[in-house]
Amino acid sequence: MKIPALVLFVLMYVLMIAKPKYRPCYALVTAAIFLVSGILPFGSLAETINWNVLLMIAGTMIIVYYFIDSRMPNLLADLLLGKSKNVMWVTILMSLFAGLISAFNNIFLLYTIIVWGSVLISAFVDNIPYVATMLPVLTAVTATLGIEPHLLYFGLLSGATLGGNITPIGASANIAAVGLLRKEGYQVSFGEFMRIGIPYTFAAVLTGYLYFWFIWS
């Protein structure tokens, strides 16, 4: 049963990439095939599903959808660019930020802050809503500064994606892995996870940080 399950799983992802418009349909059809074919016995369905991860992802997707639909990223970009006079601390923060960039007279400092700041934030915040928030903000900031956004986009993605590996709550896969270990009788504490996650994350982020800088700068 393992080979058919793997084939179906790979086929589902190929279809999702080829026709992203119908992703929910592919996922539901694949799940139905798993049940009908007996790859996943219907009686063990409830205990097989990792409900913590499933509900967390569902909740995250709902929040992200309404966050973007409300046009909150555009408002946040306006605030960060100082277009709103009502949020003084944001204006002050961006003034200091712009001052630091001007002092170094290059984009390297901005890129560095985006990458390593994203690492720190994504260690404790799911990267999907964080990236959804920051992408339009970076678009607006780079347009104002008159620079190409590609370097900062890749910096954001690398930092946010890899930063989640620092803690057991930084990514859905981490939560699933810790849950599977717990089922097998292995308890992984927050500190134990970080002792392994920090050095590996630092090495991965540093590699991407240097690579994207030399490719896109």
Side-chain angles (χ1 to χ4, degrees), residues 28-132:
L28 290 173
V29 169
T30 303
I33 294 174
F34 267 66
L35 291 173
V36 172
S37 64
I39 295 176
L40 177 62
F42 190 81
S44 62
L45 179 62
E47 62 185 34
T48 302
I49 296 175
N50 192 323
W51 294 102
N52 288 334
V53 175
L54 182 63
L55 293 175
M56 187 197 76
I57 293 175
T60 299
M61 294 298 104
I62 292 171
I63 292 172
V64 169
Y65 174 80
Y66 283 108
F67 180 83
I68 296 175
D69 191 59
S70 67
R71 299 183 63 82
M72 183 58 71
N74 294 334
L75 175 60
L76 182 60
D78 288 343
L79 293 175
L80 289 177
L81 289 170
K83 294 181 180 178
S84 173
K85 305 300 182 183
N86 298 322
V87 187
M88 293 302 297
W89 68 268
V90 176
T91 304
I92 294 171
L93 182 61
M94 280 305 297
S95 297
L96 292 173
F97 188 57
L100 284 173
I101 299 170
S102 299
F104 281 78
N105 198 30
N106 59 49
I107 198 63
F108 183 72
L109 177 62
L110 178 57
Y111 172 67
T112 300
I113 292 173
I114 292 297
V115 173
W116 296 104
S118 297
V119 170
L120 181 61
I121 293 172
S122 292
F124 303 96
V125 177
D126 191 89
N127 57 19
I128 297 174
Y130 172 67
V131 171

Side-chain angles (χ1 to χ4, degrees), residues 150-216:
H150 305 95
L151 175 64
L152 300 187
Y153 285 167
F154 279 104
L156 171 67
L157 292 175
S158 62
T161 303
L162 298 173
N165 295 325
I166 293 178
T167 67
I169 62 172
S172 304
N174 298 1
I175 298 174
V178 171
L180 290 172
L181 287 171
R182 188 179 295 114
K183 283 185 178 181
E184 297 297 324
Y186 299 98
Q187 296 295 328
V188 180
S189 69
F190 207 92
E192 289 173 332
F193 194 100
M194 289 186 68
R195 279 197 294 272
I196 298 174
I198 288 176
Y200 279 95
T201 300
F202 177 79
V205 174
L206 182 62
T207 303
Y209 170 72
L210 296 174
Y211 175 79
F212 290 130
W213 172 254
F214 288 115
I215 291 295
W216 291 103

Side-chain angles (χ1 to χ4, degrees), residues 4-46:
L6 182 60
V7 171
L8 284 172
F9 188 77
V10 171
L11 179 61
M12 178 190 69
Y13 268 94
V14 170
L15 291 173
M16 284 183 171
I17 295 172
K19 300 288 184 179
K21 182 179 179 180
Y22 303 103
R23 285 176 181 173
C25 298
Y26 301 143
L28 290 173
V29 169
T30 303
I33 294 174
F34 267 66
L35 291 173
V36 172
S37 64
I39 295 176
L40 177 62
F42 190 81
S44 62
L45 179 62

